[in-house]
Structures are given as structure tokens and as C-alpha cells.
Amino acid sequence: MFKKISFIFIGFIITLIFLLSTFSCAKDSQDNSTNIESDNQFYYSNLLDSYKKDVLLIIKNHHNISSMDWIENEENAKNNSFFTSDNIIYQVEYYKKNNNYQLDDMQKKYFLKDMENKLYIDKLSYELNELKSNSKYDVLLNNINNLYNGVDIDFSSLEISYEKITNTLPGQEQITENFYSNISLKFNYWINYLDKNKKPTKFNTIDYNFNYSLNTNTSLENAWKNLIKNLEFNFLGLPKEISNGFGDLDAKKLKINSDDKTFCMYQSKNINLGCDQTKELNDYFNNKELDQIISKLLQENVNLKESIRANTFKPYNFVEDSIDYNNIFSADKDQVNYSWNDGGEGQKFYNIIFNNIDNEMESENSDILSNYVNKSSLDWKKTFNNGLKNIVDDSIILKDSEKELIKSKYDSYSVLGTLNIDNLEVVVKGDNGNEYSQKLPQFKIQFSYSVDLSDKYLKQESNVNNSATLKSTLINLKQGINIYKNAIGISKKDEKDPLSPILTFTGNAKKVESNDFIEKEFSIWEYLKKSQVKKYDLNFISDFLFFNILSTDFVIRQGYYIKVARQFIFDVKIKSMLNEENFNLNYSNGQLLFPSTNYDYKFNLIFKINFINISFNLSISSAPNQTKYVALLSSY
């Protein structure tokens, strides 16, 4: 959903002025060489970071499946070698006497075998190796047979515990005894890749928590697999007397006080910077209410003789990786198409996005964007409603009562997704007074976000004046466009001059916000002069407009744009309609010229952020022997 941004060209034979003649040429070749070497290192580091993020995403999704078997009844664990009740009891008693576990090489071998079985390592290895099909990572993965290189277990973090809990059945002398145990530790994975010198090496992933339970109570295993794991799909459908709408969030509950109340948890793929609601989510969830909800759920649905409750054993700390989106109200799937210079609506939108208009035009442009949101939101609502239908109506997991409850609330939703929960434990207590705490593996709960839960904009005839959701949408759209123009340095284009550049840049991108991280203005043209770019093609222009050129300054602006403009969608690209993606522009005297041909170049210039998805059609005349050119890009 989030791709790189691109630009497009037009004119007869198109010129692209990248370098300002006013820049000094005093920089010697040694300066340029140093800069190029620095950029190569930056490119490699940037690519490696992207690879690591993809690896972590695969592992995260894989653990959501494999953790299904981390709470296990003894009857289903007969193939275990280390994870057996006899060995667990032996290890705990050994620890009491020696202050350490009995872990010789054979025991560690048994431990690793059982753990890899619970992690479904063969399946994980297959999923990781699919990254080799992505040509983007050829520099890192060429000739590497298997990305997975083993599990790195931190045995110093190992904790093993067990408890035998007895209960007397009501009105009977019979006593039942259940065995509960927990094995927990930290671990990570070794992942293969090539270093900068193309030599095989490996890296450690982040640490993960392995929380495994072996028990003799089938009710606990069933509660984990069929109740808690299903909260990913039905948390919003829990009866009001259990959940009291806790999973239905809005700006008021999260205390989002800005005019733009768009929910945004998204980081740049190239740098750890982006928009987030971490503080708001942490403040909302760290109040024990979720403990009470899951306690009620267990008590009413699990056939346990013991008393049972849920408890938070550490504070919540949500990050971008904690969230998965199932459905978002946006323009992502509803593209509109215009000609960039049609003299009508298309040209107006082109000027709003890619031209710095005079102040007196701002009011008119504001009206254009307001009308656009009012009209386009009809399509966005239809798309969002269809997504909700697929998730709710067509679900084979949800009960009819759960479906009806969710549908009765979702007219205000703008986001439907899941949150990862990794800090809950289940506490069971028998009538003998014995109590046991079982840490739960990570699981997901369903959540929704509305700008205002009382704004039923999906059902009502809504517009930017009577809907809090669409009002916030308009504000997010305006700042998404304006901040992009400042961050990339778009200047005013002279529309009266037929040879005026299609796009005009100041050459110095403005600081986006008063912050030391990006305080100074950035000279785009000076950087391009230093970098000595040798290949000017569509990919280069795309990278330039996506802040994705090999420069820390560029990539920081990408992350900072996402953060300040609060954009969870950021995609601008240039696409040839004639399959001429790989031709090179000719550089001459500070200009980039299209190769002269007997046909017109035809392109789509696509600009997509949260609430606009627009494609401008451009046809560029490229007749041989043309003597006057129109520049795509200039630094006036």
C-alpha cells in the first residue's frame, strides 16, 4: 500500500534542469569521491534496514500461528523430549537445590528440538526464503541458500515453574488434581545475508519471549485456542456487559486534541520515523480494564473447577509493529483520472498539488478540496463498507449475535484492525489455596477507531460541515499536500509562459517543523551536483520525488513528512504507458532531455496520500530536430 513516489514529464522534447549554474564548482574530485562513498554506504545500510524489517514482519506473522500450540495439554505432547511433566518437575527440584537448571549438552539438544517444533521452524524457513525472489535484495542475498541460520536461546533467562492444584468437587469427597507448568525464556533468530564485501554473515533479530505451558487441564488449552486466540476476530462483538465497548476507540477516548484526528501508526520503510499514537494507546490501555474483561470472559466460558482471572504483569507499550490494519477509510482503492492541462478540474488539481499558487487562490482551492472530499467520500464509504462486509458478514468464526453487535456500531468506524497483546497472564487458584500464574503467549485483540463514535457518517448523508470524520479528513488532506510541497521544495510555475517548466523547485526544501532533527533548509540541487548521478531515468525521478535518493537528508524528509503530515499512505510515481520505463534521459548543459523519437511519450503521474489518489495523464510530443524544449523540472 505504501510505494515510492514518482514524477512525470511533459512538453515537446522535455528538458530537466537539475543543476543550478549559480552553484560554485570549487568542490574538487576528492570531495565528490568522498560523497559518493558515503552514499554507497548509506544505500547499503538503508537496504539492510529494509531487509531486517521484512524479516521481522514475517516472523511476527508466523508467531501468530505457531503460538497456537504454546499452551498444550499433556495428552497432545507425547512427542516432547524436554517439555514433559516429569522433566519439568525434575528441573524445578534440581534448581531448588543447586540454584541452576540441569542443562548439559544433551538436555539443551532436547530443549532446542522441542522449541523448534513449537516454532514450526521448517515453515518459517520457507517463508523467509521467499524474500530471495525479491530482486531488491539481490545485493544482500545472492547465492545464499537458506536465510534461516538457527535459534539463539538465552538460557540465562530460562524460568521453569509448576504447580499441582487440587479441588474438591461440590458435594463429593472426590479430589481432582491438575498439573500446570510454564517454561519461559528469551530467544532470537540468526538470519543470513551478505556484508558490504559480499561475504556471508548473519545478524540477530530482536529478542522474543517464548512462553510455553504444559498442563493436564484440557479446559485451559481450549480456552487459549478457541477463546483468547479468537479475540483477534470477535473482541468488538463481545456482549456489552463483558467489554462495555472497550475496543471501540475514538479521538475523545485517546485524548487526540488536534484538529486532524486521523488515526496514524505508520513508519517510513527507510528510516525509523513516522506518525504514531503510542502515548495515547498506552495511556488508554494501562488501566487494568482489559484484565477485567478477559477475566469475565474466562469465568463465564471456561469449564474450570479452579477460580481464574487475567492479570497484566507489565505495562503496555504499543509501537507501529503492534498494529495490523484490516480495513481503513481512505482513497487508497478509489483512483480518479485527469488530464493535467485540461483547462478544467484536472488542471486545478494539478496546480493545487504541484504548483505554489498565489495567496488569493487559497480560498478557491479550499473550496475545490472541500467539494472533492464531499463527492469522493461516497466512493470511499462504499469501499470501506464492502471491506467491513468481508470481515464481519462473511466471517465463519463470528457468531450471528457478534456480527449484529459489530454491525450496529460500525457506522462511525474509520479503522478496523488488531492490537498485539503480550503482557497478560492467567491466574488459577484451587481450594487448597495453591495459586498458579501462566504467562500467555502474544495474542491479538480486535479494535476500531472512530473520529467520533457519535458521528454515523457511513450511514448518513455527510459532508465536511456536518461530519467530524469528513472535517478531519479535509484537514489531513490539506496538510498532506502543503507539507509535501514544502518538504520537496515546489515553487510557483509561470503558466503564461508556454516554455515554463512543468515543475518548478526552489532548490532549497523548507524545514518542516522547528526541530533540531530537520531544522535547516536542504539544498536539493547542491546534493545532486555532488552525487554525480550517472543514470537519469524514470526510477531516478521517482526516487527524487519520494525522498528516496541516496542521502540521509532525503530519507529523513521522507520519514518526517509521514510524521508531521500524518500520512499512512504515501505513494507518488511516474509510469510510462508505452513500456519505455528504462530509457535514459540525455544530460546536456544542465538539462535533461528525452531521446528524440517519432512518437509521443505517454505517462501517468500518480499522487496518492491518505485521502487523494489521483492519476494525471500526460502526453509529451518528442518530434525529431525540435529546437525549443519545455523543462519538466527546474530550479527557478
Side-chain angles (χ1 to χ4, degrees), residues 371-424:
N371 292 333
Y372 160 78
V373 170
N374 289 338
K375 179 181 177 181
S376 298
S377 62
L378 298 175
D379 292 327
W380 306 341
K381 289 194 286 186
K382 184 182 297 183
T383 300
F384 188 71
N385 273 320
N386 288 339
L388 287 172
K389 179 182 182 298
N390 293 336
I391 295 167
V392 179
D393 287 345
D394 298 341
S395 172
I396 60 175
I397 294 176
L398 292 174
K399 302 174 185 176
D400 288 343
S401 60
E402 293 170 337
K403 291 181 180 181
E404 291 305 314
L405 180 56
I406 296 174
K407 287 163 62 178
S408 72
K409 299 184 294 183
Y410 74 46
D411 287 332
S412 69
Y413 291 175
S414 58
V415 175
L416 190 66
T418 59
L419 287 168
N420 289 338
I421 305 295
D422 62 357
N423 54 353
L424 273 184

Side-chain angles (χ1 to χ4, degrees), residues 486-582:
N486 287 338
I488 198 70
I490 292 177
S491 185
K492 185 180 179 182
K493 163 180 162 42
D494 186 357
E495 294 184 288
K496 296 180 180 179
D497 182 359
L499 297 181
S500 172
I502 305 304
L503 292 168
T504 308
F505 289 81
T506 63
N508 290 317
K510 296 179 181 178
K511 57 187 180 185
V512 180
E513 190 176 87
S514 182
N515 186 298
D516 291 340
F517 194 41
I518 193 167
E519 176 70 23
K520 63 183 173 70
E521 294 187 351
F522 173 50
S523 175
I524 296 169
W525 311 107
E526 180 67 15
Y527 171 75
L528 291 176
K529 184 176 181 180
K530 285 181 180 179
S531 66
Q532 294 185 337
V533 177
K534 295 181 179 179
K535 186 178 180 181
Y536 297 96
D537 57 10
L538 295 188
N539 289 332
F540 172 81
I541 305 303
S542 296
D543 285 341
F544 168 74
L545 293 161
F546 191 53
F547 311 109
N548 200 40
I549 291 177
L550 308 184
S551 161
T552 304
D553 290 303
F554 268 68
V555 174
I556 283 177
R557 284 187 172 270
Q558 182 190 84
Y560 212 74
Y561 170 71
I562 292 170
K563 175 182 174 67
V564 180
R566 299 177 58 76
Q567 299 299 314
F568 51 82
I569 298 172
F570 185 38
D571 181 12
V572 185
K573 57 191 170 190
I574 197 166
K575 295 174 62 177
S576 170
M577 293 187 285
L578 300 174
N579 298 316
E580 296 286 348
E581 297 283 359
N582 296 318

Side-chain angles (χ1 to χ4, degrees), residues 64-330:
N64 187 47
I65 302 299
S66 65
S67 63
M68 187 73 78
D69 290 334
W70 294 6
I71 294 182
E72 195 168 36
N73 184 261
E74 193 170 38
E75 286 297 312
N76 301 322
K78 294 181 179 179
N79 292 327
N80 290 358
S81 300
F82 190 100
F83 300 168
T84 67
S85 56
D86 287 344
N87 188 51
I88 289 171
I89 293 171
Y90 169 77
Q91 292 291 345
V92 171
E93 298 308 315
Y94 186 92
Y95 188 91
K96 289 178 181 177
K97 296 177 181 178
N98 301 282
N99 203 33
N100 62 273
Y101 299 109
Q102 202 281 308
L103 294 173
D104 56 24
D105 289 345
M106 185 59 70
Q107 289 283 356
K108 287 183 178 180
K109 180 180 178 181
Y110 289 151
F111 190 104
L112 179 61
K113 169 181 169 291
D114 287 352
M115 186 172 174
E116 287 192 327
N117 284 339
K118 306 308 174 190
L119 292 172
Y120 299 168
I121 287 300
D122 288 344
K123 187 173 188 301
L124 175 61
S125 179
Y126 174 82
E127 292 166 350
L128 290 169
N129 283 337
E130 289 189 321
L131 285 176
K132 293 191 295 182
S133 63
N134 188 343
S135 60
K136 170 184 176 181
Y137 295 129
D138 287 350
V139 172
L140 298 173
L141 306 180
N142 190 32
N143 294 326
I144 290 182
N145 294 324
N146 196 353
L147 273 58
Y148 172 75
N149 196 327
V151 175
D152 186 16
I153 299 174
D154 179 9
F155 280 106
S156 68
S157 67
L158 177 62
E159 294 181 2
I160 305 176
S161 61
Y162 78 91
E163 191 68 59
K164 293 180 179 179
I165 295 181
T166 60
N167 287 279
T168 304
L169 297 178
Q172 302 180 33
E173 295 298 325
Q174 182 181 357
I175 296 177
T176 62
E177 181 179 80
N178 280 319
F179 172 82
Y180 297 92
S181 69
N182 187 63
I183 297 175
S184 65
L185 51 64
K186 293 184 181 299
F187 75 101
N188 55 54
Y189 297 98
W190 286 108
I191 305 296
N192 291 324
Y193 71 103
L194 300 177
D195 66 15
K196 285 182 282 191
N197 297 316
K198 299 183 179 181
K199 294 181 179 179
T201 186
K202 58 186 178 180
F203 72 87
N204 277 114
T205 65
I206 60 174
D207 283 343
Y208 297 96
N209 294 315
F210 180 70
N211 291 321
Y212 172 81
S213 172
L214 183 73
N215 60 75
T216 58
N217 190 338
T218 57
S219 295
L220 188 60
E221 181 184 38
N222 290 336
W224 168 247
K225 290 184 175 181
N226 303 318
L227 193 65
I228 294 176
K229 290 291 282 185
N230 277 350
L231 295 178
E232 174 181 356
F233 309 101
N234 69 0
F235 189 74
L236 298 179
L238 295 180
K240 186 175 181 180
E241 56 269 22
I242 292 180
S243 70
N244 197 29
F246 182 75
D248 291 311
L249 314 180
D250 70 356
K252 184 177 180 180
K253 286 185 177 181
L254 293 184
K255 299 179 180 179
I256 300 175
N257 298 318
S258 59
D259 291 336
D260 177 12
K261 303 184 187 302
T262 305
F263 186 88
C264 191
M265 284 282 277
Y266 177 63
Q267 280 192 344
S268 163
K269 296 303 180 187
N270 295 322
I271 189 170
N272 290 325
L273 187 63
C275 57
D276 70 75
Q277 316 284 173
T278 297
K279 182 180 184 304
E280 293 88 345
L281 286 171
N282 291 343
D283 289 347
Y284 180 74
F285 275 86
N286 283 314
N287 62 3
K288 292 290 185 180
E289 190 168 348
L290 184 60
D291 301 13
Q292 297 167 14
I293 293 170
I294 298 198
S295 293
K296 289 180 185 177
L297 189 66
L298 293 169
Q299 290 159 9
E300 294 186 13
N301 292 276
V302 180
N303 184 25
L304 282 176
K305 302 304 178 184
E306 300 92 341
S307 68
I308 186 168
R309 61 184 173 85
N311 178 59
T312 303
F313 61 83
K314 65 178 181 180
Y316 292 97
N317 183 29
F318 295 107
V319 294
E320 186 218 9
D321 192 49
S322 305
I323 291 184
D324 290 302
Y325 298 103
N326 303 128
N327 200 20
I328 303 180
F329 176 72
S330 72

